[in-house]
Amino acid sequence: MPPKSVDWATEAAGMAETLSHPRGAGGDTGVRQVGGKASPDAATSQLRCQLRSFWNCHGAGFSEWWLALPEADRAPFLRTSVPFLPAKRGDLRVRVPGAPHEEDCSGSSLFAPELNLADLTADGGQGVLDQYEMRVQQARHADELAAQGQ
């Protein structure tokens, strides 16, 4: 594996933890009821902020490290960093190491079907970099709209 100056697995796991178990102030889940439906505004906002901050600070270094990572090591890295990541589009359950049974990943699979091992490791590893870049741009746009009150 290429050397790295940042523990990318820890960074990715922190963002994954925010997505799977968001915590707001006072230990709440960050999920609010809006019109009778759950609205994960706080978790989404926190994740967008973490993603943008990570990419602004480490985008170039992570990209260089990721592209130098042997292809055979990419999926294991992602699986370790984000254990509930589906193997491919359409997978609704995932085997998490150490868990006694498969875990339901249908929510993330339906919400963001492109976030799976097959798509993220496609095109010589470019898949994960494309997702980062697209998500950071979406986060910037969402923040601009929010600042305008839209």
Side-chain angles (χ1 to χ4, degrees):
M1 255 191 231
K4 56 183 178 178
S5 58
V6 175
D7 185 350
W8 303 122
T10 300
E11 292 285 339
M15 285 188 275
E17 180 67 16
T18 299
L19 184 59
S20 61
H21 302 290
R23 295 281 173 225
D28 68 61
T29 62
V31 177
R32 297 183 306 178
Q33 292 291 332
V34 177
K37 296 183 180 180
S39 173
D41 293 339
T44 302
S45 179
Q46 182 180 2
L47 185 61
R48 272 199 327 251
C49 182
Q50 284 180 325
L51 178 65
R52 191 175 52 254
S53 176
F54 171 83
W55 199 247
N56 288 340
C57 291
H58 305 295
F62 177 80
S63 296
E64 181 181 340
W65 177 81
W66 178 256
L67 292 173
L69 188 66
E71 189 173 331
D73 293 338
R74 290 182 185 142
F77 170 81
L78 290 173
R79 176 66 72 207
T80 300
S81 302
V82 189
F84 58 86
L85 196 62
K88 64 186 183 323
R89 285 180 188 247
D91 283 357
L92 303 179
R93 304 195 64 73
V94 64
R95 169 65 68 185
V96 176
H101 50 78
E102 289 186 327
E103 298 290 327
D104 183 326
C105 64
S106 59
S108 61
S109 284
L110 297 172
F111 180 67
E114 68 279 7
L115 297 182
N116 63 73
L117 288 172
D119 286 353
L120 293 175
T121 57
D123 299 325
Q126 193 62 41
V128 77
L129 302 179
D130 290 347
Q131 281 300 315
Y132 260 119
E133 196 61 44
M134 180 186 72
R135 303 250 176 219
V136 167
Q137 288 184 18
Q138 288 173 339
R140 286 183 188 132
H141 183 67
D143 290 343
E144 288 169 5
L145 290 175
Q148 297 170 6
Q150 298 179 8

